[in-house]
Every structure is written in structure tokens, then in C-alpha cells.
Amino acid sequence: MSEVQDELIGGLQTKAQAIREDIIKMLAEARSGHPGGSLSSVEIVTALYFHVLRLKSEDPQWPDRDRFILSKGHAAPLLYAALAERGFIPREELLTLRKLGTRLQGHPPWGMVPGVEASTGSLGQGLSMGLGTALAGRLDRRNYRVYVLLGDGESQEGQVWEAAMAAAHYRAGNLTAVLDFNGLQIDGPITEVMSPLPFPDKWRSFGWAVREVDGHDFQDLIAAFDWAKTIHDMPSMIIARTVKGKGVSFMENAAGWHGKAPDMKQTAQALAEIGAGTDFKGDNKHAE
Amino acid sequence: MQSKSSMREAYGRVLVELGKSCPDLVVLDADLSGSTKTKDFGKNYPDRFFNMGIAEQNMMGTAAGFALAGKIPCASTFAVFATGRAYDQVRNAIAYPGLNVKIIATHAGLTVGEDGATHQTIEDISLMRTLPNMTVIVPADAVEAVQAVTAAVAFRGPVYIRLGRPAFPDLFGDDYQFQIGKAAILREGEDAVIFAAGIMVSKALEAAAQLSVEGLDVAVVDVSTIKPLDRETIVKLAEKTGAVVTAEEHSIYGGLGSAVAEVLGEQCPVPMVRVGVEDRFGESGSPEELLDAFGLTSEHLVKAVHGVRDRCKKR
């Protein structure tokens, strides 16, 4: 690994740490929300916002920007934290999550929060919206790319597969989906509740280019995002193996932490385990 | 015999015209483009036409995605699928963010005919009307349909337009000017008023003609925009006549009748009768047979006007 690469990954790790810290603080302050699936996607979303996506935080509507749609909308704290760290919204606002009058709704609302690209939260809908935006980009001859983050439990929704079929049919090469494969949903392991496996075979048979990665390994993730950009005649799927609740020992691999906030004691422990972050501006050479 | 025109044919034609003047217009369909008549748009603008297959939920989500990128998507299929099958997508992906998607659905109501209850939506207006941000339009003839589609494309925000399957009697001339949110008074009258939508507007005019023979002067209003409702016109006519009948090819729950009752209950309570589909599903039959069997004819409207006037006299 080159020195530049070392520096990039070190920076991303620092950013991920800060975002994890934000997530825990936001959920503790809100006293409700979804830690498990927010923490499992931290590296995926950090890699996107601080390395992959071409964005201008001072111009959130920049027509040529890459789009990120959080289809698993319950990971809203993660999205808001990334948007704050990336300069789209003030960091102080993060602690208003889920409170009356806030822009930071329990699930991401389009049109209210700069940088939020679609209203999500009702599972299974983000890929369809991503497809529409991708097809519009092709019509307009813009070279932006659209990234959609799906949950593994979410993959039980039929609409996901309708969208998978349509994206392959229309050869949406500018559409990349990432699957947060943490293996757990509210009621337990996905294989016990309603198995959507095997993921790679399913997506391949639907006409997608598929690559499997370690969803907490930045090197792996960055290589996969680079790979996705080289595919132009079909949509691409990055299946990211992750750990639900990653980074907080008592939340890891515990379905019970899908949708509940830590109390004061648990918050202190979680923050201690995550460790304090330093201020990193990111190595987003495409941005600004 | 009055001339008739197909709203669907008219829709197909106006889409092709709008495609010329509006480069951002894209059209989506769910394997019914021959029936909804979006096929011609597809022939003329293949790049901007997307057949999404038999997958209405994805069609609505994809339409939302087009709107997010600044396009003006028109999503068409049968009304029962557009509003029922994909309700959560219309609610969460389109109405909640207020996206600029036009849901233009055909084959609404009982007049779908022989296909029967599974395909005859009698609850679509109700479903769409309760969604914040949604505009709901039910044109009464082909001329109004063309103008409603044109107005909807020019308007910014989600719109639901309900079209029928059969040809509807021609009501409006080329001088007609449709406006979103404005009801059209087609006939003035003092003795009662019929607020109607869709195919029932022509039935209401027939009923008013029959009643005039009996010496009754009945007003007829085409309430083509069900949301936002033209409260002013509705209250004005209710005050003037003191006897109200509503007429729609839809359940009496949640549609035009309910919308009018909500306004009048608060602002001008007068005796009122809602003519529509009672609380039951449709069935197979020819459109005219069904309208008769479900009480959606001019004869039924004549009876309803008499009934509501009798109640006025007893007050």
C-alpha cells in the first residue's frame, strides 16, 4: 500500500470514528432510533462521502453531483452525521434528531435537509428512486453516478426485485447499489425470519455485476467503488459483509439493538469504546 | 344522440403534443400502454418512454426518481393499480416529498365493465384525496381531460388524474377553459344543485333536462378538481338552492360526495343526497348495465333530486 493510500485510509478511519461518535450521541439525545444498522454501514457511507461522491456542500443542488440514496432510511443518524461532517448541515443540529420541529426527521425527508436526495424509510423504495434518477442522468447526458444503500432485511421487499429487474433491463450502468449484509433484522437473523439468500447468485441472475467485500475494510470498499465505475453496460452491486452494531461491543451482532437508544451508562461505555475523533477534512479530491 | 369521445385517446394525443413543447416530459407505463394510450408517446419519443413491466410499485418509485432529477414524469396504468397496488410508493416517495409526478390513470370506476370488481376501483379518489400535497382531478369529457393533463404538466407538484375506459359524451367546446381548483357551472338553477364528476356530469345534465320538463330548475356543476375543492362555488350553489345532490362513479365514502359533505357540514348545512356506489364492490357487466345496476343513471339522479327536495319541504 502506498503512502498516499495509507494517508487516505487513515483519514477515513478517523472520519468513521467521528461519525460513530455522532451517531451514539444523537441516539442518546433522541432517546430512540436505530443504532445497529447505522453502525454497520459507517464505513460504506464514510467511503462514499469522503472519497467516492463528487459533491459540493455549498451547492447541494449542483446538477452534476453524484447521488446517494439511503434506501434503509432508518439509518438516518448515519446519513445526517455524514452530511454534517461533510459540511451540508451544521454539526450542532445533529442533536435535534427526532425532536419536534427539527429538519432531522426520524427517517430522511427530501426537500428539508440539504444533501438528502430522497425521502426514504418505507423499506424497499430507494432502488426504484435511484433508477429513475440514473435514467434521467443518462437522458440529460450528465455523467453523475447514483449510489443506493440497501439493507439485507430490506431485500425481503418485492419492490427491490422489481427495481433490480428494471435496472438491468435498462442497462443502468450509472447505478450502483451497496448491500449492508449484517445478517440481522428486528425479529432476529435474516435466515430465520425470511431468508433472502443467496445474495450474489440472486443479483447476478437479475443481470447485475456483483462484487463481495468486507464492509468495514476501506481498502476493500474503495477498490469495489473503483470497480463499479468501470462497468457501463449493467448496474453494479457491492455486497458488503458487515457487523450489526459495529464498534460498540454490546451492540455488535445483537438484533435487540436494531431500534433502541442507549441509556446514559451505555452511552458512556459506547463512546469510550469508539474513542474520540480528530478533525479530518477528508481526501475528497473530486469535490469542490 | 350526443357525440362521444374517448378520454384515453385524447390523453394519448395530448401527451405526444406535450412531448414536443416539454423536453423534460417522460412517460412510464406498466404493460398497459396500448390501453392507457401512452404507446403513441413511446413511438414518438422512444428515449423518453419507459415501459416498466407489470411492476407498479417500481414504476411509481422510478417516476419519483425522475422527478428528483428534474424531469416531469407521467406514470400511467389502470387506476386500481396506480392507487391501490402502489399506494405506499405514491404516499411516501411522491406525495410526502411533494414531487412533480403526474399519475394519470385510466379505466377507473365501474365502467371498466366486464373485467369485474378486481379491476373496478371505487376508492381511488378517496385514497388520493387524503394524501397531503396531492391534487386530484376527475375530468368529465375528452376536452376537459386534455386540458387537465396540460394543466397538470404545467403545475408543479403531484397530481392524480382519473380517466375512464369508455367514450364519454362530449360536453365542452374548444372555448372551455379548465383551471385546477375551479368547478364549472354548466347549468344555473334555483331549485336544487347536482355536484358531479366524471361520467356522472353528463348524467346530471340529462337529469336536469328531465326535471326542467317538470318545471324544476336544477343547477349542474362539474367538480372536476376534487382537491383542492372549489369551496366557494359549492357553498354559493348550496346557499342558493338549499338542496344538494352529489353524483360520482365512486364509493359514496371518501369521494366527491364526502368532500362536498365535509364543506357543507361546516359552512352551509343543507339537505343532501350522495349518489355513488354504495358500500360494495363492483361486478362484471357492460358499462351501461353496471351504471344502471348500481344506481348511477339520470333516472336515479331525478329521484335523488325529488328526495332531497321533499326533505327540504319537511324542514
Side-chain angles (χ1 to χ4, degrees):
Chain A
M1 215 162 68
S2 72
E3 231 170 83
V4 179
Q5 188 82 349
D6 280 343
E7 205 184 306
L8 164 65
I9 286 171
L12 290 172
Q13 280 162 348
T14 310
K15 218 56 188 169
Q17 197 177 20
I19 286 173
R20 279 208 166 82
E21 196 183 321
D22 290 338
I23 291 169
I24 295 297
K25 287 180 179 167
M26 289 165 83
L27 291 169
E29 177 71 24
R31 295 183 188 171
S32 71
H34 299 82
S38 295
L39 293 170
S40 62
S41 298
V42 167
E43 279 76 17
I44 297 165
V45 169
T46 303
L48 280 164
Y49 275 89
F50 295 93
H51 180 66
V52 179
L53 299 176
R54 291 164 297 178
L55 300 168
K56 293 180 181 178
S57 57
E58 76 284 3
D59 183 11
Q61 296 300 314
W62 178 40
D64 290 313
R65 72 193 182 280
D66 289 331
R67 270 76 165 173
F68 171 69
I69 293 175
L70 181 71
S71 191
K72 44 173 285 186
H74 54 281
L78 165 61
L79 176 60
Y80 299 146
L83 290 174
E85 296 286 343
R86 193 67 183 67
F88 282 87
I89 56 174
R91 277 203 75 202
E92 310 81 73
E93 196 178 340
L94 290 179
L95 295 182
T96 67
L97 175 74
R98 287 178 167 250
K99 291 182 177 166
L100 185 66
T102 185
R103 298 192 293 181
L104 306 188
Q105 294 292 298
H107 293 83
W110 179 82
M112 285 167 80
V113 186
V116 168
E117 297 285 6
S119 294
T120 54
S122 177
L123 292 175
Q125 301 200 22
L127 194 57
S128 302
M129 292 188 259
L131 172 61
T133 300
L135 293 175
R138 191 160 75 188
L139 267 182
D140 289 341
R141 303 204 194 308
R142 294 191 186 279
N143 69 352
Y144 64 72
R145 297 187 58 81
V146 181
Y147 298 87
V148 179
L149 180 58
L150 298 167
D152 51 2
E154 180 182 18
S155 310
Q156 292 156 354
E157 288 282 4
Q159 188 187 351
V160 171
W161 302 100
E162 291 184 3
M165 199 185 327
H169 179 84
Y170 283 108
R171 299 190 170 278
N174 55 350
L175 177 66
T176 295
V178 185
L179 178 69
D180 178 352
F181 184 9
N182 63 37
L184 292 174
Q185 59 190 117
I186 301 181
D187 276 352
I190 57 168
T191 49
E192 283 177 24
V193 176
M194 178 54 64
S195 178
L197 306 183
F199 283 126
D201 290 350
K202 277 203 175 71
W203 286 95
R204 274 195 195 99
S205 70
F206 270 78
W208 286 56
V210 175
R211 180 158 167 153
E212 294 171 77
V213 301
D214 175 342
H216 299 301
D217 182 328
F218 280 118
Q219 216 176 332
D220 226 11
L221 281 166
I222 287 169
F225 284 120
D226 286 344
W227 159 82
K229 284 181 200 167
T230 65
I231 294 159
H232 301 291
D233 58 345
M234 57 168 74
S236 46
M237 162 54 86
I238 298 168
I239 298 172
R241 275 308 308 217
T242 60
V243 173
K244 195 151 183 163
K246 175 76 175 176
V248 177
S249 60
F250 56 91
M251 290 182 179
E252 285 191 1
N253 287 317
W257 283 100
H258 172 89
K260 89 176 168 186
D263 62 23
M264 290 307 283
K265 204 177 144 203
Q266 290 162 334
T267 300
Q269 191 190 332
L271 290 173
E273 286 185 22
I274 290 163
T278 56
D279 216 34
F280 167 64
K281 293 280 183 246
D283 176 72
N284 199 331
K285 51 186 177 293
H286 306 296
E288 267 106 344
Chain B
M1 184 104 184
Q2 201 175 0
S3 65
K4 292 182 174 186
S5 304
S6 159
M7 293 174 146
R8 292 183 286 136
E9 302 278 359
Y11 169 49
R13 279 195 303 273
V14 74
L15 266 188
V16 173
E17 260 176 58
L18 288 168
K20 233 179 289 172
S21 56
C22 180
D24 281 331
L25 190 69
V26 296
V27 176
L28 299 90
D29 205 300
D31 192 41
L32 288 168
S33 65
S35 301
T36 63
K37 305 296 174 192
T38 60
K39 203 172 199 159
D40 285 345
F41 184 92
K43 268 186 213 146
N44 284 273
Y45 312 99
D47 291 352
R48 289 191 273 150
F49 177 75
F50 299 88
N51 198 328
M52 303 309 289
I54 309 167
E56 295 78 11
Q57 302 175 20
N58 180 53
M59 175 172 75
M60 291 304 175
T62 305
F66 273 114
L68 287 168
K71 297 288 168 199
I72 304 173
C74 288
S76 286
T77 178
F78 288 2
V80 70
F81 308 131
T83 60
R85 185 61 179 248
Y87 187 71
D88 187 53
Q89 287 71 19
V90 172
R91 180 189 190 277
N92 283 311
I94 296 171
Y96 173 41
L99 293 180
N100 200 20
V101 175
K102 317 305 164 186
I103 300 164
I104 304 180
T106 66
H107 295 68
L110 297 174
T111 51
V112 166
E114 293 78 357
D115 278 353
T118 52
H119 287 51
Q120 294 162 336
T121 176
I122 47 159
E123 68 285 347
D124 56 320
I125 296 172
S126 173
L127 287 170
M128 293 298 107
R129 191 168 76 85
T130 44
L131 290 174
N133 296 331
M134 186 64 80
T135 294
V136 179
I137 303 174
V138 183
D141 79 346
V143 168
E144 190 166 52
V146 164
Q147 293 199 25
V149 170
T150 309
V153 168
F155 176 83
R156 195 162 181 85
V159 179
Y160 173 64
I161 298 183
R162 178 195 223 229
L163 304 178
R165 175 190 167 218
F168 282 18
D170 295 322
L171 300 176
F172 294 106
D174 292 336
D175 57 336
Y176 175 63
Q177 284 205 321
F178 168 83
Q179 227 183 308
I180 292 176
K182 198 89 192 96
I185 301 170
L186 302 187
R187 185 182 173 120
E188 294 280 1
E190 308 270 330
D191 298 324
V193 56
I194 305 174
F195 295 115
I199 197 164
M200 294 309 288
V201 175
S202 60
K203 307 275 182 201
L205 287 169
E206 284 169 29
Q210 290 169 37
L211 287 160
S212 76
V213 177
E214 300 172 24
L216 284 177
D217 197 9
V218 175
V220 174
V221 182
D222 170 20
V223 189
S224 45
T225 309
I226 298 196
K227 188 186 173 188
L229 197 65
D230 186 350
R231 299 169 76 104
E232 202 188 318
T233 300
I234 286 166
V235 170
K236 192 178 80 188
L237 270 291
E239 272 171 355
K240 186 175 168 187
T241 62
V244 171
V245 171
T246 59
E248 62 194 310
E249 189 196 356
H250 184 275
S251 169
I252 54 167
Y253 298 147
L256 171 67
S258 295
V260 170
E262 286 159 16
V263 169
L264 295 183
E266 285 179 351
Q267 285 183 252
C268 178
V270 293
M272 176 176 172
V273 170
R274 288 168 299 153
V275 173
V277 180
E278 303 290 332
D279 189 21
R280 63 172 168 139
F281 284 104
E283 62 181 89
S284 290
S286 76
E288 285 302 325
E289 282 171 347
L290 286 164
L291 291 175
D292 189 33
F294 282 76
L296 303 180
T297 61
S298 56
E299 291 75 25
H300 284 91
L301 288 175
V302 167
K303 271 185 218 156
V305 169
H306 284 312
V308 79
R309 281 179 48 80
D310 287 347
R311 274 167 53 205
C312 291
K313 284 176 204 152
K314 282 178 198 150
R315 293 226 294 183

